[in-house]
Amino acid sequence: MSFSDEGFAVHGASAQVLGGELQFEGGTTRDGSVRFEGQGTAPAAGLREVRELGLLPYLAEHLQGQTAYRLQFGLVQGWPELNLSSDLMGDLGET
Protein backbone atom coordinates (compact mmCIF):
# COMPACT_ATOMS: atom_id res chain seq x y z
CA MET A 1 0.00 0.00 0.00
CA SER A 2 1.31 3.45 -0.84
CA PHE A 3 0.11 6.93 0.07
CA SER A 4 0.59 10.28 -1.63
CA ASP A 5 -0.89 13.78 -1.61
CA GLU A 6 -3.48 12.60 -4.15
CA GLY A 7 -4.65 9.51 -2.23
CA PHE A 8 -3.58 5.90 -1.90
CA ALA A 9 -2.86 2.83 -4.03
CA VAL A 10 -2.97 -0.90 -3.31
CA HIS A 11 -0.91 -3.27 -5.49
CA GLY A 12 -0.85 -7.06 -5.47
CA ALA A 13 -3.15 -7.52 -2.47
CA SER A 14 -5.19 -10.64 -1.71
CA ALA A 15 -8.18 -11.54 0.45
CA GLN A 16 -10.53 -14.45 1.07
CA VAL A 17 -13.86 -13.73 -0.67
CA LEU A 18 -16.72 -16.12 -1.50
CA GLY A 19 -14.71 -18.96 0.02
CA GLY A 20 -11.72 -18.52 -2.30
CA GLU A 21 -8.78 -16.21 -2.89
CA LEU A 22 -9.19 -12.79 -4.54
CA GLN A 23 -6.18 -10.91 -5.98
CA PHE A 24 -6.88 -7.18 -6.29
CA GLU A 25 -5.46 -3.69 -6.70
CA GLY A 26 -6.83 -0.18 -6.78
CA GLY A 27 -6.98 3.09 -4.94
CA THR A 28 -7.82 6.73 -5.44
CA THR A 29 -8.34 7.90 -9.02
CA ARG A 30 -7.72 11.36 -10.48
CA ASP A 31 -11.37 12.35 -10.03
CA GLY A 32 -11.24 11.46 -6.32
CA SER A 33 -13.15 8.20 -6.68
CA VAL A 34 -11.91 5.03 -5.03
CA ARG A 35 -11.84 1.96 -7.28
CA PHE A 36 -10.66 -1.62 -6.85
CA GLU A 37 -10.47 -4.36 -9.43
CA GLY A 38 -9.61 -8.00 -8.93
CA GLN A 39 -10.04 -11.57 -9.96
CA GLY A 40 -10.42 -14.71 -7.96
CA THR A 41 -11.92 -18.15 -7.69
CA ALA A 42 -15.07 -19.13 -5.86
CA PRO A 43 -15.80 -22.71 -4.85
CA ALA A 44 -19.39 -23.94 -5.05
CA ALA A 45 -19.36 -24.40 -1.26
CA GLY A 46 -18.55 -20.70 -0.84
CA LEU A 47 -21.32 -19.66 -3.24
CA ARG A 48 -23.85 -21.70 -1.25
CA GLU A 49 -23.07 -19.60 1.86
CA VAL A 50 -23.70 -16.13 0.38
CA ARG A 51 -27.48 -15.72 0.54
CA GLU A 52 -27.19 -12.04 -0.53
CA LEU A 53 -26.48 -13.16 -4.13
CA GLY A 54 -30.10 -13.85 -5.02
CA LEU A 55 -30.68 -17.25 -6.65
CA LEU A 56 -26.99 -18.14 -7.02
CA PRO A 57 -26.65 -19.87 -3.59
CA TYR A 58 -29.65 -22.06 -4.37
CA LEU A 59 -28.28 -22.96 -7.80
CA ALA A 60 -24.89 -23.71 -6.20
CA GLU A 61 -26.57 -26.46 -4.16
CA HIS A 62 -26.35 -28.53 -7.36
CA LEU A 63 -22.73 -27.69 -8.20
CA GLN A 64 -19.28 -28.77 -7.08
CA GLY A 65 -15.79 -27.48 -7.85
CA GLN A 66 -14.92 -23.83 -8.44
CA THR A 67 -15.15 -21.03 -11.00
CA ALA A 68 -13.20 -17.87 -11.79
CA TYR A 69 -14.76 -14.43 -11.37
CA ARG A 70 -13.91 -10.78 -11.82
CA LEU A 71 -14.83 -8.13 -9.26
CA GLN A 72 -14.93 -4.34 -9.58
CA PHE A 73 -15.79 -2.10 -6.66
CA GLY A 74 -15.83 1.66 -6.45
CA LEU A 75 -16.97 4.63 -4.42
CA VAL A 76 -17.90 7.32 -6.92
CA GLN A 77 -19.14 10.65 -5.54
CA GLY A 78 -19.96 8.81 -2.31
CA TRP A 79 -22.04 6.10 -4.03
CA PRO A 80 -20.95 2.46 -4.05
CA GLU A 81 -20.62 0.60 -7.36
CA LEU A 82 -20.20 -3.19 -7.51
CA ASN A 83 -19.78 -5.44 -10.52
CA LEU A 84 -19.28 -9.18 -10.07
CA SER A 85 -19.02 -11.26 -13.23
CA SER A 86 -18.31 -14.89 -14.03
CA ASP A 87 -19.14 -17.22 -16.87
CA LEU A 88 -19.56 -20.01 -14.25
CA MET A 89 -17.59 -22.28 -16.58
CA GLY A 90 -14.48 -23.03 -14.44
CA ASP A 91 -14.40 -26.45 -12.84
CA LEU A 92 -18.01 -26.37 -11.67
CA GLY A 93 -19.88 -29.53 -12.49
CA GLU A 94 -23.10 -31.15 -11.47
CA THR A 95 -23.18 -33.24 -8.32
Side-chain angles (χ1 to χ4, degrees), residues 38-55:
Q39 53 192 1
T41 56
L47 296 176
R48 287 192 282 271
E49 310 247 337
V50 186
R51 299 295 177 197
E52 296 83 5
L53 293 179
L55 291 176

Side-chain angles (χ1 to χ4, degrees), residues 8-68:
F8 70 96
V10 176
H11 303 283
S14 64
Q16 290 291 312
V17 178
L18 300 174
E21 187 167 348
L22 170 69
Q23 301 287 326
F24 67 95
E25 58 185 34
T28 310
T29 63
R30 290 182 184 177
D31 67 0
S33 301
V34 176
R35 296 184 184 272
F36 291 95
E37 189 170 307
Q39 53 192 1
T41 56
L47 296 176
R48 287 192 282 271
E49 310 247 337
V50 186
R51 299 295 177 197
E52 296 83 5
L53 293 179
L55 291 176
L56 186 57
Y58 302 101
L59 295 172
E61 303 264 345
H62 305 284
L63 302 173
Q64 62 184 6
Q66 64 184 12
T67 189

